[in-house]
């Protein structure tokens, strides 16, 4: 990430110092394509490595570098074919720049697709491990990926525009890059990487349908009947009202294998966090009916929600109304 942002700064500094835009659009675009794919590759790879906890294939690691070197080779080839100096505005150079822009766009879309898949996997792991919804803590990643997508869509065209449109895009681009880098640093300092690692290590496989190596169809009805009974006892005891539950711990409390509880939830088409939220909201509705004067803080603590805000948000998500509306 540091390397990518540094190269971006160097690119814009050279644009200003060399006055390439004053020479013409072709000269300015040439410098953009010489450095921008390299910077974008490094930044996109940094986000992807974060999502994959460093476990990135060689193909994904070096793809951006190959694209960057190909773009450079195209511009050098255009110079050789035209026989003109490198900074000359020739048909060959303009064609090389257009092809290079398309290659950059395809590279960026590839990394964005990989990042979205990684983000979905993280959300799935968190929802299947912790007892509360943590997806709102990953909003910055989704926004960052959207920024990268926007760059992939607009940069290949915008870099050919002279005048105010390019200046406007540069301002938007700098703010977007600042948001991405700032969020990246805040994330690394937070507890989220540790929580994600813990959730993913309990669920190491990437395949959504076979994440624990146990085929749901191979689990017999007798095992499921046993799971039904154990889960019913656990709910009856009100253990879901405890704060900070994790799926492996809950399976242990039920005296069930971890894979069996997960399989049971999948058969119900439920995530662990959604299941916990549903149980807690039902308990909250019961308490509101019996104790309409109780505060939201009290109800939240009695039902297992981490705080009042989490309780109010989830109650409205599930019931379509606030606790106050439900009580009236």
């Amino acid at each position: 990430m540091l390397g990518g942002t540094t190269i971006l700064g160097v690119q814009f500094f050279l644009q200003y110092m060399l006055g390439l835009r004053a020479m013409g659009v072709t000269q300015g675009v040439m410098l953009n394509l010489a450095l921008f794919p390299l910077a974008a590759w490094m930044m996109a790879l940094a986000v992807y490595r974060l999502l994959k906890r460093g476990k990135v294939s060689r193909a994904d690691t070096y793809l951006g570098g190959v694209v960057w070197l190909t773009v450079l080779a195209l511009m050098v080839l255009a110079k050789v074919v035209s026989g003109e100096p490198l900074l000359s505005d020739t048909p060959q150079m303009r064609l090389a720049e257009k092809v290079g822009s398309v290659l950059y766009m395809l590279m960026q879309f590839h990394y964005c697709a990989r990042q979205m898949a990684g983000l979905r996997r993280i959300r799935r792991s968190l929802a299947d491990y912790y007892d509360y919804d943590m997806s709102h803590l990953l909003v910055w990643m989704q926004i960052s990926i959207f920024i990268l997508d926007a760059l992939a869509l607009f940069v290949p065209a915008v870099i050919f525009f002279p005048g105010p449109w390019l200046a406007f895009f540069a301002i938007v681009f700098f703010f977007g890059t600042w948001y991405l880098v700032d969020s990246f640093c805040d994330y690394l300092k937070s507890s989220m990487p540790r929580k994600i690692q813990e959730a993913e290590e309990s669920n190491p496989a990437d395949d959504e349908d076979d994440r624990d190596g146990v085929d749901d169809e191979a689990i017999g009805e007798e095992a499921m009947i046993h799971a039904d009974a154990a889960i019913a006892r656990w709910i009856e005891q009100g253990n879901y009202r405890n704060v900070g539950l994790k799926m492996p711990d809950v399976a242990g409390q039920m005296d069930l294998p971890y894979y069996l509880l997960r399989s049971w939830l999948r058969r119900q088409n439920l995530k662990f966090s959604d299941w916990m939220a549903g149980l807690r909201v039902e308990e909250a509705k019961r308490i509101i009916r019996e104790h309409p004067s109780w505060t939201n803080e009290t109800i939240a603590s009695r039902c297992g929600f981490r705080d009042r805000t989490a309780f109010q948000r989830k109650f409205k998500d599930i019931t379509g109304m606030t606790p106050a509306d439900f009580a009236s």
Side-chain angles (χ1 to χ4, degrees):
M1 184 64 72
L2 176 61
T5 52
T6 300
I7 291 172
L8 284 177
V10 170
Q11 172 193 342
F12 284 103
F13 176 76
L14 291 176
Q15 284 277 14
Y16 176 76
M17 294 300 296
L18 299 177
L20 294 182
R21 277 286 165 178
M23 297 182 188
V25 173
T26 300
Q27 290 80 1
V29 170
M30 188 183 306
L31 179 61
N32 285 336
L33 288 176
L35 295 179
F36 197 84
L38 175 61
W41 165 46
M42 296 175 74
M43 295 173 72
L45 191 59
V47 175
Y48 188 43
R49 282 184 179 278
L50 193 67
L51 290 167
K52 294 282 288 183
R53 294 192 290 120
K55 300 174 183 178
V56 179
S57 69
R58 288 191 177 184
D60 286 327
T61 299
Y62 296 115
L63 174 66
V66 171
V67 170
W68 174 57
L69 292 175
T70 302
V71 171
L72 293 180
L74 286 172
M75 291 191 291
V76 171
L77 180 62
K79 175 205 177 296
V80 172
V81 171
S82 67
E84 298 291 335
L86 185 62
L87 292 178
S88 300
D89 184 0
T90 64
Q92 292 85 356
M93 185 59 70
R94 288 195 295 271
L95 177 61
E97 290 175 349
K98 290 176 182 176
V99 173
S101 296
V102 171
L103 289 176
Y104 160 77
M105 181 177 66
L106 294 175
M107 175 199 78
Q108 199 74 306
F109 276 137
H110 170 81
Y111 282 119
C112 286
R114 294 290 195 186
Q115 290 162 355
M116 288 302 296
L119 184 57
R120 285 194 299 270
R121 190 196 67 254
I122 287 176
R123 283 178 167 165
R124 195 166 61 234
S125 296
L126 291 173
D128 269 342
Y129 189 76
Y130 294 101
D131 66 341
Y132 63 102
D133 183 11
M134 302 176 69
S135 60
H136 62 285
L137 301 176
L138 300 174
V139 170
W140 78 269
M141 285 190 182
Q142 189 164 349
I143 295 176
S144 299
I145 293 171
F146 172 78
I147 291 172
L148 294 173
D149 271 330
L151 290 175
L153 182 62
F154 291 112
V155 165
V158 171
I159 58 175
F160 290 95
F161 292 169
W165 280 108
L166 186 62
F168 173 76
F169 180 78
I171 293 172
V172 174
F173 172 78
F174 272 120
F175 274 107
T177 304
W178 169 81
Y179 174 83
L180 173 61
V181 174
D182 184 64
S183 300
F184 186 92
C185 294
D186 286 344
Y187 172 82
L188 291 178
K189 292 185 293 184
S190 71
S191 62
M192 277 302 291
R194 178 185 57 79
K195 292 180 178 179
I196 290 173
Q197 179 178 357
E198 184 179 348
E200 289 194 325
E201 285 179 351
S202 76
N203 177 20
D206 287 339
D207 190 325
E208 183 174 5
D209 296 323
D210 188 23
R211 288 167 287 168
D212 49 23
V214 178
D215 185 0
D216 288 347
E217 298 300 325
I219 299 175
E221 286 304 314
E222 185 176 345
M224 279 300 166
I225 292 173
H226 172 65
D228 286 335
I231 291 168
R233 284 194 301 271
W234 185 83
I235 293 174
E236 185 178 355
Q237 293 166 0
N239 291 320
Y240 58 86
R241 292 175 294 187
N242 296 324
V243 180
L245 295 174
K246 299 174 183 177
M247 191 198 258
D249 299 333
V250 169
Q253 293 171 11
M254 296 175 177
D255 199 23
L256 290 177
Y258 184 22
Y259 76 85
L260 187 55
L261 176 57
R262 296 184 60 180
S263 181
W264 183 88
L265 286 170
R266 283 206 292 269
R267 291 195 180 194
Q268 311 298 318
N269 198 27
L270 287 171
K271 301 293 186 185
F272 179 68
S273 61
D274 294 335
W275 181 48
M276 288 291 100
L279 292 173
R280 289 165 175 170
V281 166
E282 287 301 314
E283 176 68 7
K285 289 161 68 175
R286 183 191 67 78
I287 291 176
I288 291 172
R289 293 189 193 99
E290 295 181 2
H291 306 280
S293 62
W294 283 15
T295 64
N296 285 340
E297 288 88 348
T298 302
I299 297 172
S301 64
R302 291 295 186 96
C303 297
F305 289 99
R306 301 175 70 85
D307 51 48
R308 181 191 65 181
T309 302
F311 162 58
Q312 291 173 329
R313 181 176 61 244
K314 191 56 66 175
F315 192 94
K316 187 169 184 180
D317 287 345
I318 292 177
T319 67
M321 63 181 72
T322 65
D325 293 336
F326 182 83
S328 61

